[in-house]
Amino acid sequence: MAKQLLPLLSLVLALIHCATISAQTSQAPAPAGPTNVTKVLEKAGQFTTFIKLLTASQVADRINSQLNNSNQGLTIFAPTDNAFASLKAGTLNSINSQDQLQLLQFHILPTLYTTSQFQTASNPLHTQAGDSADGQYPLNVTTSGTQVNVTTGVVTTSVANTIYSDNQLAVYQVDQVLLPMALFGAAPTPAPAPAPTPADATKPLKKAADAPTGSSDASDSSGAAALGNQLLTVVTFTIALVAITASSLWL
């Protein structure tokens, strides 16, 4: 009887062992893969345009490499598809490829910020765009309770949602594209030219025809003198002629 039960007992033990292994396998967590920012955005949805720009510019590859090969954290402000659609027509085409790269990097902070850390952050925040030393691409944040507001000098928007957050990466949804002053700020208005000073306020009045002083009077007096001399000569000649004629008659 015991011999007949041995095969059955062995089969039961084998089934129990297989079930245990299967349960342990199903409960073990899958190994975590490397962080991939495009997959994070794809999973969240509504970020198709931002993903395309990150991929085409290879910024996505740089982000993934930095996340998986260093301990430096990153913060990303991700504009939605509606944010890009609401831009004025031709906005992105109005800048060259290098400036488009700067625009994307302007949405990335080389430091991990949780929503609570924004409350104590020092403005302006350093982005991956431009040179942090010259303040060419300043980005400022303000908070009101749990709300985080982001301003560029051209655009002001709020963090609408936290898309992803771990100990290295934070991705926040914004409903406007962050346009930096360096690329989209209005050109400074030139200072108005000084009004011309009226001529009569700076220069003395000129005499008529700029004639030399006394030239008109001198001309008149000299003409009169010449005429008088001519008349005197004629009178003198006439008197002399009359005198000679009279002398002849008396003789």
Side-chain angles (χ1 to χ4, degrees):
M1 183 69 178
K3 291 182 179 181
Q4 292 177 350
L5 291 176
L6 283 176
L8 181 60
L9 182 59
S10 299
L11 178 60
V12 171
L13 292 173
L15 291 174
I16 293 173
H17 180 67
C18 291
T20 302
I21 293 175
S22 177
Q24 291 175 346
T25 302
S26 62
Q27 292 174 3
T35 304
N36 188 305
V37 67
T38 55
K39 290 184 178 179
V40 168
L41 294 170
E42 286 171 355
K43 183 177 180 180
Q46 67 176 339
F47 297 100
T48 304
T49 303
F50 192 48
I51 292 171
K52 288 181 179 178
L53 293 172
L54 290 175
T55 304
S57 62
Q58 299 183 337
V59 172
D61 293 338
R62 298 177 197 173
I63 293 173
N64 294 334
S65 177
Q66 182 172 332
L67 290 173
N68 296 298
N69 294 294
S70 73
N71 294 323
Q72 184 177 2
L74 292 175
T75 300
I76 299 175
F77 295 110
T80 61
D81 291 334
N82 287 337
F84 281 100
S86 65
L87 288 175
K88 184 179 178 180
T91 298
L92 294 181
N93 292 331
S94 67
I95 56 177
N96 58 38
S97 57
Q98 178 60 34
D99 288 340
Q100 289 180 10
L101 176 62
Q102 296 296 323
L103 174 62
L104 289 174
Q105 292 178 327
F106 188 61
H107 290 73
I108 306 169
L109 310 180
T111 305
L112 176 65
Y113 285 96
T114 64
T115 53
S116 61
Q117 287 174 326
F118 282 126
Q119 297 181 2
T120 56
S122 298
N123 287 316
L125 300 183
H126 172 39
T127 72
Q128 287 192 338
D131 182 357
S132 62
D134 61 14
Q136 186 180 11
Y137 289 85
L139 183 67
N140 296 283
V141 295
T142 57
T143 58
S144 178
T146 58
Q147 179 176 308
V148 179
N149 302 312
V150 185
T151 180
T152 71
V154 178
V155 170
T156 298
T157 188
S158 299
V159 171
N161 188 27
T162 300
I163 300 169
Y164 181 86
S165 180
D166 62 15
N167 61 352
Q168 266 195 301
L169 175 66
V171 183
Y172 300 106
Q173 173 187 330
V174 289
D175 293 331
Q176 292 192 57
V177 179
L178 304 182
L179 303 177
M181 281 288 294
L183 300 180
F184 298 98
T189 304
T197 304
D200 58 352
T202 58
K203 296 181 180 181
L205 289 174
K206 292 183 178 180
K207 293 184 178 180
D210 288 338
T213 303
S215 61
S216 177
D217 295 341
S219 297
D220 292 343
S221 58
S222 61
L227 180 61
N229 290 335
Q230 290 177 358
L231 289 175
L232 181 61
T233 302
V234 170
V235 170
T236 302
F237 178 76
T238 301
I239 293 173
L241 181 62
V242 170
I244 293 172
T245 303
S247 297
S248 299
L249 291 175
W250 284 107
L251 292 175

